[in-house]
Amino acid sequence: MRAMLMLIIGLSFAAPAGPAAADTLEAFHDRVGAAMKHVRLAQFYLRTGNLAVAGTELDEATEKWAALTAVFGSKPPGKLAEDSAFKADIEAVAGALDAALDAVDSDERDAAAVQLKPVAGRLAALRKRNGLWIYSDCIAAMNRAMDGAWVYRRKPPDFADAAQVAELDRRFAALAHWYKRCFREAGPRERADPAFERLFPGSLESIERLIRAAKDKSALRIINNLRELRSFDRLIWLYLG
């Protein structure tokens, strides 16, 4: 089955694109999102050591990426048609997915994870250089803000040091900004996902508690709220990223 998928990928660059109605940026983003959801799930299961389920998710991702390539490989949509690196990016993602699946088949969990790690960033870079912004980009920025705040999980600031307090305030403000922005930018599809209503309100409440804990100079409450928020952050990435 994988050999057939790779044959589709190889032929699609020389074959006519799919129906004109599907040749749109929105359709391209939808197909990318459908494949990347399986990539994220594969990454999650790789971290938990469940290679069998990770392989199943990678099979789905590879199949969906082959379908995307069949439609857009030789005819990039919209402004992407002017991007000379588009073909290389599409091929690189296909290669990474196939290599990750090979690694899973060989019980090489770490090697599979290494292959998948740059995929999302490569697609984000493709969008950025073409002036495109989608919901996944907002979630990625939100996750980076969480990473910036997470440094206080094990080392809260010295509240007697004004510079350290100012840096903490800056990081927490960035965290609040991106969570609120991603909440606002969610479209009908995201809002219809049960994960959205289950995860975002709790996240925003946790951030409010986190900021209050910082104002109260409570290191323990900062740590506890960061733990809670980290869990929300990972789940939002998994289901909505």
Side-chain angles (χ1 to χ4, degrees), residues 94-159:
L97 295 180
D98 194 56
L101 194 50
D102 283 341
V104 167
D105 289 345
S106 301
D107 291 329
E108 297 176 356
R109 180 178 68 171
D110 292 344
V114 166
Q115 291 294 332
L116 295 179
K117 186 175 181 179
V119 169
R122 189 176 196 115
L123 294 171
L126 166 65
R127 292 189 294 268
K128 184 176 181 179
R129 69 174 179 262
N130 287 284
L132 300 173
W133 174 270
I134 65 173
Y135 195 63
S136 290
D137 298 314
C138 192
I139 296 296
M142 189 190 84
N143 296 151
R144 289 192 295 271
M146 180 70 239
D147 289 341
W150 187 244
V151 299
Y152 299 113
R153 158 66 179 83
R154 296 192 182 279
K155 191 178 179 181
D158 178 355
F159 288 106

Side-chain angles (χ1 to χ4, degrees), residues 89-100:
D89 283 338
I90 298 303
E91 290 177 325
V93 172
L97 295 180
D98 194 56

Side-chain angles (χ1 to χ4, degrees), residues 55-222:
T56 299
E57 295 298 339
L58 282 172
D59 274 327
E60 291 285 346
T62 303
E63 182 176 350
K64 285 181 169 57
W65 199 260
L68 176 151
T69 305
V71 175
F72 297 108
S74 62
K75 189 178 179 183
K79 60 173 66 179
L80 296 179
E82 301 172 5
D83 188 336
S84 61
F86 178 84
K87 178 180 176 181
D89 283 338
I90 298 303
E91 290 177 325
V93 172
L97 295 180
D98 194 56
L101 194 50
D102 283 341
V104 167
D105 289 345
S106 301
D107 291 329
E108 297 176 356
R109 180 178 68 171
D110 292 344
V114 166
Q115 291 294 332
L116 295 179
K117 186 175 181 179
V119 169
R122 189 176 196 115
L123 294 171
L126 166 65
R127 292 189 294 268
K128 184 176 181 179
R129 69 174 179 262
N130 287 284
L132 300 173
W133 174 270
I134 65 173
Y135 195 63
S136 290
D137 298 314
C138 192
I139 296 296
M142 189 190 84
N143 296 151
R144 289 192 295 271
M146 180 70 239
D147 289 341
W150 187 244
V151 299
Y152 299 113
R153 158 66 179 83
R154 296 192 182 279
K155 191 178 179 181
D158 178 355
F159 288 106
D161 186 324
Q164 289 190 37
V165 172
E167 179 63 15
L168 175 141
D169 289 343
R170 184 191 68 79
R171 292 180 186 234
F172 285 3
L175 187 64
H177 164 80
W178 282 109
Y179 264 85
K180 290 176 181 178
R181 177 169 173 176
C182 293
F183 181 79
R184 292 195 308 268
E185 286 192 5
R189 180 178 303 174
E190 290 80 25
R191 292 180 183 277
D193 191 314
F196 183 87
E197 190 60 37
R198 187 173 72 249
L199 298 172
F200 258 103
S203 299
L204 294 171
E205 290 173 5
S206 184
I207 290 173
E208 290 180 1
R209 290 193 297 271
L210 183 65
I211 292 173
R212 286 199 301 270
K215 290 180 178 178
D216 293 341
K217 301 180 181 181
S218 174
L220 180 60
R221 283 163 52 203
I222 287 174

